[in-house]
Amino acid sequence: YTIQTQQYPEMDEQNYMDMVSGYYKILQHPSIDSPAKIIQYLPYRQPGYPILVLPFILLFGLSYSYKIMLFSNVFFYIGTLWATYGIARFYFSKTTSLLSSLIFATYGWSLFYLHFTYSETATTFFTTAAIYCLLKSKSFSLKKPTILFGITFGLALLTRWVSLLFLAGPLIV
């Protein structure tokens, strides 16, 4: 469904496509300063989303980069459905949790962003996964969920700074 998109990259998609291809070229000839070059490549964009897609681009090459980036959104979307179910399950029954995931799955904006190589789908996944891990950590008393929270929170911030706004409330409470 997602990779059948027949469109040219538009709006911010060029930035993310440029970042992936730039990172690809940097890693074709890696050096000690490659991480600094990656961070400085487009300093006004967080590098998380392109870096997460980069291993697949390195494996399959640049010729399919747009389709690979669209296909990666499918995994982020499925992960968001899982995290939504987990968050709802923390408070409600199985039926209500499944219904909440179904509502999210059919919500127009989340389906709309599947067709673009924007970081929104990845941001949504890492933010909801971080909230889920935060709930599972029971106020940071359990080690494994706390570590997973730190990882997902870090990846959310690497993807987009706006994640901090969504995670500030649960962190404060």
Side-chain angles (χ1 to χ4, degrees):
Y1 172 72
T2 301
I3 59 173
Q4 291 179 358
T5 299
Q6 300 296 323
Q7 66 186 26
Y8 293 105
E10 58 183 49
M11 295 187 282
D12 286 351
E13 286 184 298
Q14 289 93 346
N15 291 326
Y16 293 112
M17 296 299 297
D18 181 48
M19 288 172 79
V20 167
S21 64
Y23 297 172
Y24 178 83
K25 291 172 187 170
I26 290 170
L27 293 179
Q28 288 298 313
H29 306 286
S31 64
I32 208 87
D33 64 339
S34 291
K37 287 180 182 177
I38 286 173
I39 291 171
Q40 294 169 353
Y41 189 78
L42 264 177
Y44 58 90
R45 294 274 184 201
Q46 291 88 346
Y49 178 60
I51 286 174
L52 290 167
V53 177
L54 191 58
F56 301 105
I57 303 295
L58 289 170
L59 187 63
F60 297 110
L62 279 177
S63 58
Y64 298 107
S65 59
Y66 188 63
K67 296 291 185 182
I68 290 169
M69 289 181 78
L70 288 174
F71 191 64
S72 69
N73 282 346
V74 171
F75 294 107
F76 292 130
Y77 186 72
I78 291 169
T80 304
L81 293 175
W82 165 80
T84 303
Y85 174 82
I87 292 168
R89 188 69 183 108
F90 194 81
Y91 296 106
F92 305 111
S93 67
K94 284 184 181 180
T95 306
T96 307
S97 302
L98 283 171
L99 186 60
S100 69
S101 289
L102 179 67
I103 289 170
F104 180 82
T106 57
Y107 183 63
W109 281 109
S110 55
L111 288 172
F112 174 75
Y113 278 113
L114 275 175
H115 294 281
F116 298 100
T117 59
Y118 292 158
S119 62
E120 276 78 357
T121 308
T123 303
T124 305
F125 165 65
F126 288 120
T127 303
T128 55
I131 292 170
Y132 173 71
C133 291
L134 180 64
L135 290 170
K136 293 296 274 186
S137 74
K138 298 185 180 185
S139 298
F140 303 111
S141 63
L142 299 174
K143 186 177 182 179
K144 185 179 176 183
T146 300
I147 291 170
L148 287 174
F149 167 74
I151 292 168
T152 54
F153 183 55
L155 288 170
L157 290 176
L158 272 174
T159 307
R160 288 193 68 191
W161 294 114
V162 74
S163 301
L164 184 59
L165 296 173
F166 294 107
L167 290 167
L171 279 172
I172 292 170
V173 174

